[in-house]
């Protein structure tokens, strides 16, 4: 099982790298990596981003530059 703190840290690092990239191809690569980490976070047994009964999540990084759309 992955360490949740590691996954959260790596997702944030990739989002920051994507934000700092001038090259669109590199930016897409970093965003893709961040989305993979986000998917692993959603699948983690701890309910950090689990869906609630009303369809929302405990925490959604979208307003802060995260997932945006669900895969």
């Amino acid at each position: 099982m992955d360490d949740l703190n590691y996954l959260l840290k790596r997702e944030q690092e990739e989002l920051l790298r994507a934000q700092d990239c001038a090259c669109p191809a590199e930016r897409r690569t970093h965003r893709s990596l961040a989305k993979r980490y986000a998917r692993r976070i959603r699948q983690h047994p701890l309910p950090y981003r689990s869906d609630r009964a009303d369809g929302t999540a405990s925490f959604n990084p979208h307003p802060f530059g995260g997932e945006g759309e669900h895969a």
Side-chain angles (χ1 to χ4, degrees):
M1 175 171 68
D2 292 314
D3 177 38
L4 183 59
N5 289 321
Y6 170 79
L7 296 175
L8 292 167
K9 177 184 175 200
R10 292 294 297 144
E11 179 195 28
Q12 292 303 307
E13 287 174 348
E14 292 303 330
L15 290 171
L16 290 172
R17 287 184 181 122
Q19 185 177 357
D20 289 341
C21 282
C23 174
E26 285 184 44
R27 189 176 310 122
R28 281 191 303 273
T29 300
H30 288 296
R31 284 185 182 156
S32 175
L33 286 169
K35 285 182 180 185
R36 286 187 212 161
Y37 283 114
R39 186 178 326 116
R40 290 168 65 185
I41 291 166
R42 280 195 315 273
Q43 294 170 349
H44 199 276
L46 296 176
Y48 185 67
R49 291 190 192 161
S50 299
D51 290 334
R52 295 179 180 159
D54 64 358
T56 62
S58 310
F59 177 78
N60 184 357
H62 172 60
F64 309 104
E67 294 181 60
E69 67 267 354
H70 288 287

